[in-house]
Amino acid sequence: MSFKQHVFLGVTLLSSVAVIGASVQSTTVAASKRRGKKVTKVSKTYRTKATKVSHKAYYSLSKTGKTYKLSGTLKKPVLKSNHALKNYTKTTWTRSKQMFVTKKGKTTRYYYVKAAKNKAAGWVKASQLKAGKNGQATTAKKTTAKVYYKNAKSGKIYQLKGKNSYVTFKKGVKLVADQKYTRTQKRTVYKRGKKTTYYYVKSGETKGWVWNGYLTTKAPVVPEPTVSGLTTPGETVDGITSYNVSGNTIDPYKSEDFSTVDVPSDYALARYKYQYSPTYKAKKTLQTKSETLSVVRHTGADSDYALKSTMYLPLDGESTKGINSNPQSATFSKDDHYLYVMYVDKSGKGDDDQMGWVIRYDWQKLTALGTRKNGQMQLIRKAAVNQYHNKATSKDKAILKCIKVGPTFNTGHAQSLALNPRTNELWFVKKHQADDQSTVERLNQKTLKPDAAVNFTLKSGMHMGSVLAFDNDGNAYYWTHTLSAWSTAPLNSAKIYKGQISTDRIHFSLVMQGLSRVPGEVVQSMSYNGANNRLYLVSNGSIFSVPVDKLGQLDASDVSATNFTGDREFEGMMFMHQSNQGFVLTNRGPAILQMTN
């Protein structure tokens, strides 16, 4: 027999022994089971010893993965979850050890990791990690000052908080087109394993960190200023000089560029049946004491205020009973000496056809005569009643002398009387509904009738809003209730318009960010408070406000909202110009309520 034959025979014999051994073992186990003996099984889960590995950065975007706390033995390891990876998607995990766990024949690599976020630690499946840093940054370095501009993309400036091992982005402010941003520092920020460069920039009061990809050194091309809205003087009829504007007076815009800032749904009030003041009928209109409309809910800055009646307006005219029962708007003179209130008599067929008048109240003298003093607040209404019955006393006459009633004229809906503090002119919207053409008129403060009317068209199919307000710089504003939704402006959202009103020019533009909800379904008033630089949108029982200097860049926290008790009809809102005092004009019966907190 040759050497190869010997080897082959030996291998064959060994294989036979192995097979026989396996068969015997199987037979023995089976026999043991039949005899009822206990059989020791090999554990299905076991692990290797943990070994050190080089430190390496990872991040995880897993929404279901977890880290685990390890206990037990090598043969019987126990893994108990202690952190959910979904809470750590913006931080870096650093590995330091590894082990292998075998379960049901499948072996999985685990890393021991620690998070930069809050030093959370545990064992995690290596497959749920991705190599790279996340939410970490380098130390900021000073750079040569350089001017940048917003590029075509939409970006924000942020405050970076925390240490380099874990940074977070806070309080984003949108970049503004055509605005200069000066870079003074730069640093690297790691996001999901990638290095990104951030610049520290300043622009006026705005400063913070912005991704360099949102900036460009190329200055934007500034278009020539538009000349739309310039007026042409026309005829003067009955003391009113007409001014006419040809062409559109609102800047073009794209609805897809519009957006809204969220307002909690609870603050948008539905229509309700208007209620009378609780003591109006009980006192037969001669109310002596103030009443308060309390706050139902409020949110945001300057939102926690109640409304307390401070002056009950007269109802009767000199020769007509109850004629002054329907005030629509009010505003103070620039020196806060007078209060102008515009009324209608409901004789017109539509809003644009209403006839009305303005009553000028000497606020300071009426206050000095005690008409706002609690306990004798009936004095103004009582004086009007006595005058109607030709029984005015000397006290009544002193009060009536402080009240000047203007002539009747076509006021339109009359819910827009407002003072431009920059020009000291009173304006109101006379026509806003009949067709494309709108009309605003200037009210003479002495004669209490219009002396100028400007006729214009915003654009085809678009009407002027029915309310009006001016800020301290002379900018005009109105807001509207969205009744035909855009993809970017949902039904019942609010749009705000900003522009200019004068006998020289009419010009408006849509503020390209509105509110997701209106304060209520009826647009009642708009007002401006120079003390806090906020615009107020008024509906019945509900008032919203926003900061003027953040229009177009509002965050949800910038919107203040207040709802009130009473189910009253809010007709107008006005603020004093020389002090931080605000008031609301209500109906049923007509009264001035002061904001109090």
Side-chain angles (χ1 to χ4, degrees), residues 416-454:
S416 57
L417 186 63
L419 178 86
N420 183 339
R422 187 177 181 87
T423 62
N424 195 27
E425 294 178 329
L426 288 172
W427 288 90
F428 65 95
V429 181
K430 174 189 173 183
K431 180 181 178 183
H432 74 285
Q433 205 174 53
D435 50 38
D436 288 351
Q437 190 178 71
S438 301
T439 301
V440 291
E441 293 192 347
R442 184 178 64 193
L443 185 80
N444 188 293
Q445 297 182 38
K446 293 182 179 180
T447 64
L448 301 184
K449 68 178 185 178
D451 60 15
V454 187

Side-chain angles (χ1 to χ4, degrees), residues 317-339:
E318 186 175 359
S319 58
T320 308
K321 190 172 182 63
I323 192 173
N324 297 317
S325 62
N326 197 16
Q328 291 294 309
S329 58
T331 189
F332 283 96
S333 61
K334 189 173 181 179
D335 61 2
D336 297 334
H337 191 106
Y338 296 105
L339 175 69

Side-chain angles (χ1 to χ4, degrees), residues 530-561:
N532 60 13
N533 198 33
R534 295 179 74 91
L535 280 173
Y536 289 74
L537 286 65
V538 182
S539 187
N540 296 311
S542 181
I543 300 174
F544 292 176
S545 74
V546 293
V548 168
D549 57 3
K550 292 195 69 177
L551 286 177
Q553 299 180 10
L554 296 170
D555 294 321
S557 60
D558 295 319
V559 182
S560 296

